[in-house]
Amino acid sequence: DAGVTQSPTHLIKTRGQHVTLRCSPISGHKSVSWYQQVLGQGPQFIFQYYEKEERGRGNFPDRFSARQFPNYSSELNVNALLLGDSALYLCASSLTGTSNQPQHFGDGTRLSIL
Amino acid sequence: KNQVEQSPQSLIILEGKNCTLQCNYTVSPFSNLRWYKQDTGRGPVSLTIMTFSENTKSNGRYTATLDADTKQSSLHITASQLSDSASYICVVSRSPYGGSQGNLIFGKGTKLSVKP
């Protein structure tokens, strides 16, 4: 079975542009979470979606938005990109999305802002 | 404040040696504690998950311990291999009643390098 897949794997953008990152969860998983990981730090929680509804939101500006589709895949959108948005963006899926459920991570999208 | 502190920040050991990584947390209420291995440029992979009632859990050469009274955990790696070179991240879930993944508190990780 395929694990969590993310696309693209790498992306280079310039300041002010917008970006869309995509995530496909493990088959049968209904929850998707997004994380930002800056070099040398642990992942920081951005959003969680379950059954197409937002279940949780981290401390990120409104430039960050996300949605989940009927097939449980998800998109993360970031507008007006800043240099500080350069990071590895991770997607994780779980069956029901509660914090006592194991999470399975994708390999992330490496976003570089010039 | 809910925090997860890991030590050391980085560690270099020789292949075949054992090592122990530390995780201290101030997360409350506590639900479970997880250790992840993250290879460079890859996503984290789960090694162990421990609840309040578990004080030891093994996964091959990886053994995690949990002392919920002192709020400390350790990850012991036995007979290290070159492939163990990675960052090891400690994650604590702060809600015993489920709740969102936003209740997961991540440490900054320990970067382990295993040299031949």
Side-chain angles (χ1 to χ4, degrees):
Chain A
D1 282 342
V4 177
T5 57
Q6 293 187 242
S7 63
T9 54
H10 295 84
L11 202 51
I12 299 174
K13 292 285 188 179
T14 57
R15 283 178 294 175
Q17 287 189 310
H18 71 272
V19 67
T20 298
L21 311 181
R22 294 177 175 83
C23 172
S24 292
I26 290 172
S27 178
H29 285 192
K30 298 182 178 180
S31 173
V32 169
S33 297
W34 287 96
Y35 296 85
Q36 180 194 67
Q37 187 176 26
V38 175
L39 201 61
Q41 303 289 316
Q44 296 290 315
F45 174 72
I46 309 176
F47 284 111
Q48 183 193 1
Y49 277 79
Y50 174 70
E51 291 279 17
K52 297 170 287 180
E53 298 288 329
E54 183 182 298
R55 174 171 275 187
R57 173 185 286 250
N59 188 24
F60 279 80
D62 292 343
R63 299 184 295 108
F64 289 76
S65 64
R67 55 179 176 167
Q68 186 177 33
F69 299 100
N71 65 354
Y72 303 111
S73 67
S74 178
E75 282 182 355
L76 175 69
N77 294 284
V78 187
N79 294 324
L81 287 166
L82 303 173
L83 292 178
D85 295 331
S86 295
L88 180 67
Y89 288 84
L90 295 164
C91 172
S93 76
S94 61
L95 275 171
T96 62
T98 54
S99 57
N100 53 2
Q101 288 263 315
Q103 279 191 315
H104 302 265
F105 285 86
D107 284 336
T109 293
R110 171 69 63 187
L111 176 63
S112 299
I113 311 300
L114 303 179
Chain B
K1 184 177 179 183
N2 291 300
Q3 282 187 314
V4 175
E5 302 285 344
Q6 291 188 245
S7 62
Q9 268 190 307
S10 62
L11 183 62
I12 301 175
I13 62 173
L14 292 177
E15 187 179 12
K17 297 295 186 182
N18 303 336
C19 68
T20 300
L21 314 180
Q22 299 291 340
C23 173
N24 296 338
Y25 61 93
T26 57
V27 177
S28 180
F30 174 88
S31 176
N32 61 71
L33 185 145
R34 313 164 186 211
W35 283 95
Y36 285 89
K37 178 188 179 187
Q38 185 174 23
D39 292 319
T40 302
R42 305 294 298 273
V45 174
S46 179
L47 295 175
T48 62
I49 300 179
M50 289 184 292
T51 60
F52 185 89
S53 59
E54 297 172 297
N55 52 27
T56 302
K57 185 164 274 191
S58 292
N59 179 356
R61 294 179 298 103
Y62 301 100
T63 299
T65 65
L66 173 64
D67 185 334
D69 290 332
T70 62
K71 298 188 177 182
Q72 295 179 328
S73 176
S74 64
L75 180 69
H76 186 74
I77 304 175
T78 303
S80 61
Q81 300 176 358
L82 298 178
S83 59
D84 292 331
S85 294
S87 288
Y88 292 84
I89 302 174
C90 175
V91 184
V92 180
S93 172
R94 69 177 177 180
S95 172
Y97 306 111
S100 81
Q101 302 290 4
N103 289 313
L104 297 178
I105 312 298
F106 286 75
K108 293 181 179 181
T110 291
K111 187 175 176 63
L112 175 66
S113 296
V114 181
K115 302 296 187 184

